[in-house]
Amino acid sequence: CCIPQASEAGVSVLMGYNKNVCKYVSKVREFAAENPGGHVTFVSNNAYENTKESLGECFERNAEGMLKNMAIHELALLVSFYGVTVETIESVSADKSFSSVQTLPGPSGELFTDFDKIKFTITTTEGSTVSVAADRCGGSTTYATVTDDSGSEIFRYEMPDSDDEKVVQSVLSRFPNIMPYFPPQDADYVTVKERVCSHAANGGEAEGVATIDVGVETLRVAEFLTPELTRQLQE
């Protein structure tokens, strides 16, 4: 790992977790901060066909598993902004009514086990709670919500919003065969690159951009959660 060498050399190592700088994430975090007591849920969707063939191909191509692939960005949010580490997880609870784990053959014929959709809530040792939902076949809209004590939704912000949709259509016109979940994130990756370049050129903090320490802890959280959530769903 490069962390000791980077630390000794005084070098910052930054990660490309684009959702750390997403508009919908900042909007929901701002609303939750202004309305204490609300519960935040980050929802990530892909647009794979809900077939064994499509999901099997997805499972094989992303054999590291959903929590190290599609949902790794949401885990990075929890590590970056909600104090989640392996050591601070007091409890994690899978939503069995939403979640699904399957074992499917990939194009090679080899079997792969993974979540096609997962929803869970983490409670930390500090008493805070936050939820994540991810669905391989949920569509192309990603969003976050805030709910009140009764579970009623009181705020939602989506990606892409009406302004971002113009960028999405521009990207699609140039790259019509691109995976559908990439165009909505185009502007956010620009933001990540601008902040990293500004940090490199001018010093100062790359606001919101995940560090290598966040990246390592995010992987640790993913490796902790995957077997635990799988166990809960298979009970």
Side-chain angles (χ1 to χ4, degrees):
C1 181
C2 66
I3 293 178
Q5 295 92 327
S7 179
E8 291 170 6
V11 174
S12 298
V13 181
L14 302 175
M15 308 293 292
Y17 289 121
N18 67 300
K19 289 184 179 178
N20 273 43
V21 303
C22 274
K23 189 192 309 182
Y24 83 95
V25 170
S26 61
K27 292 286 187 183
V28 165
R29 290 181 59 225
E30 289 168 5
F31 182 90
E34 294 167 359
N35 296 270
H39 181 82
V40 174
T41 301
F42 295 105
V43 181
S44 178
N45 287 315
N46 283 172
Y48 290 92
E49 294 181 14
N50 192 7
T51 65
K52 291 182 178 180
E53 293 75 18
S54 178
L55 288 171
E57 187 279 333
C58 173
F59 285 10
E60 180 167 347
R61 181 163 44 83
N62 304 293
E64 67 272 26
M66 180 188 272
L67 294 188
K68 283 188 175 180
N69 177 256
M70 174 184 178
I72 195 73
H73 296 274
E74 281 65 39
L75 297 186
L77 295 176
L78 305 195
V79 172
S80 297
F81 305 124
Y82 292 88
V84 172
T85 68
V86 171
E87 289 73 25
T88 64
I89 295 175
E90 179 74 24
S91 66
V92 57
S93 177
D95 183 338
K96 294 184 179 181
S97 66
F98 178 93
S99 306
S100 171
V101 61
Q102 298 191 55
T103 299
L104 297 171
S108 68
E110 185 179 350
L111 293 175
F112 295 86
T113 299
D114 198 4
F115 309 107
D116 56 283
K117 55 182 178 177
I118 185 70
K119 184 176 182 180
F120 58 90
T121 298
I122 287 176
T123 301
T124 71
T125 52
E126 296 295 317
S128 62
T129 62
V130 61
S131 297
V132 169
D135 188 345
R136 287 291 193 187
C137 306
S140 298
T141 299
T142 291
Y143 60 93
T145 65
V146 181
T147 52
D148 62 19
D149 290 340
S150 69
S152 298
E153 186 177 301
I154 55 177
F155 186 78
R156 172 188 293 231
Y157 207 93
E158 298 183 349
M159 177 186 76
D161 62 13
S162 56
D163 292 334
D164 295 335
E165 189 60 39
K166 300 171 186 175
V167 177
V168 171
Q169 295 308 314
S170 174
V171 173
L172 286 173
S173 68
R174 289 179 285 139
F175 306 101
N177 296 320
I178 196 171
M179 292 294 281
Y181 50 80
F182 284 132
Q185 303 179 63
D186 182 77
D188 300 316
Y189 278 111
V190 171
T191 299
V192 170
K193 293 174 183 177
E194 287 177 343
R195 293 184 183 181
V196 170
C197 289
S198 177
H199 167 74
N202 306 312
E205 181 184 2
E207 182 184 356
V209 178
T211 64
I212 187 68
D213 301 278
V214 168
V216 170
E217 189 58 42
T218 298
L219 286 173
R220 291 184 69 231
V221 170
E223 290 177 347
F224 171 81
L225 290 177
T226 297
E228 173 59 21
L229 293 171
T230 300
R231 181 192 64 79
Q232 290 184 28
L233 295 182
Q234 293 179 336
E235 284 183 342

